[in-house]
C-alpha cells in the first residue's frame, strides 16, 4: 500500500512539474505578446500622426497650386503688401507721438 501511495505521489509530482513548465512557457508567450502589442500600438500611433501630417501637407499643396499667382497678380500683391507696410509704419509713428 505504501508503495502504491509512493507511486501515485511520484506520478502527481511529475504531472505537476509538466504543468508548471507549460505554465511558464505560456506565461512567457503571453508576456511576449503583450510587449509586441504595445510596440505595435506605438507604431500605429506614429503612423497615424505621420498620415495626418501628410494629409495636411497635401491639402496645403493643393490649395497652393490652386492659388498660383500670375505676373500681374504678383505685382498687385507686392503693391498691396507695400501699402500695408507703409500704413503700419504710419500707425507706429502716430503711437510714438
Amino acid at each position: 500500500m505504501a508503495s502504491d501511495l509512493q507511486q501515485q505521489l511520484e506520478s502527481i509530482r511529475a504531472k505537476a512539474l509538466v504543468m508548471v513548465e507549460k505554465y511558464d512557457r505560456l506565461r512567457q508567450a503571453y508576456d511576449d505578446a503583450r510587449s509586441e502589442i504595445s510596440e505595435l500600438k506605438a507604431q500605429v500611433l506614429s503612423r497615424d500622426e505621420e498620415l495626418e501630417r501628410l494629409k495636411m501637407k497635401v491639402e496645403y499643396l493643393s490649395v497652393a497650386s490652386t492659388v498660383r499667382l500670375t505676373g500681374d497678380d504678383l505685382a498687385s500683391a507686392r503693391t498691396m503688401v507695400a501699402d500695408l507696410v507703409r500704413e503700419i509704419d504710419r500707425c507706429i509713428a502716430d503711437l510714438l507721438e
Side-chain angles (χ1 to χ4, degrees), residues 56-68:
M56 290 297 290
K57 191 173 183 178
V58 165
E59 185 176 335
Y60 292 154
L61 289 173
S62 68
V63 168
S65 67
T66 303
V67 183
R68 282 199 177 128

Side-chain angles (χ1 to χ4, degrees), residues 66-81:
T66 303
V67 183
R68 282 199 177 128
L69 297 175
T70 63
D72 294 336
D73 293 335
L74 187 58
S76 174
R78 285 183 179 157
T79 303
M80 184 176 65
V81 169

Side-chain angles (χ1 to χ4, degrees), residues 6 12 20 23 27 32 34 38 62 66 68 83 89 93:
Q6 187 66 28
I12 291 171
V20 167
Y23 173 80
R27 183 63 189 190
D32 292 345
R34 296 293 294 179
S38 295
S62 68
T66 303
R68 282 199 177 128
D83 291 341
D89 286 341

Side-chain angles (χ1 to χ4, degrees), residues 2-91:
S3 90
D4 279 346
L5 185 57
Q6 187 66 28
Q7 287 175 343
Q8 286 179 347
L9 286 174
E10 285 299 319
S11 175
I12 291 171
R13 182 177 176 277
K15 289 177 182 179
L17 287 174
V18 169
M19 285 180 59
V20 167
E21 288 173 3
K22 285 183 180 181
Y23 173 80
D24 288 342
R25 283 195 307 267
L26 285 173
R27 183 63 189 190
Q28 184 61 43
Y30 173 79
D31 291 342
D32 292 345
R34 296 293 294 179
S35 175
E36 185 178 358
I37 287 170
S38 295
E39 291 172 11
L40 291 173
K41 281 183 178 180
Q43 286 180 2
V44 166
L45 183 61
S46 173
R47 298 240 170 102
D48 284 347
E49 290 170 354
E50 178 71 8
L51 179 63
E52 202 55 40
R53 187 183 67 77
L54 291 174
K55 281 181 180 178
M56 290 297 290
K57 191 173 183 178
V58 165
E59 185 176 335
Y60 292 154
L61 289 173
S62 68
V63 168
S65 67
T66 303
V67 183
R68 282 199 177 128
L69 297 175
T70 63
D72 294 336
D73 293 335
L74 187 58
S76 174
R78 285 183 179 157
T79 303
M80 184 176 65
V81 169
D83 291 341
L84 289 172
V85 169
R86 280 192 291 279
E87 182 68 27
I88 290 170
D89 286 341
R90 278 193 295 259
C91 290

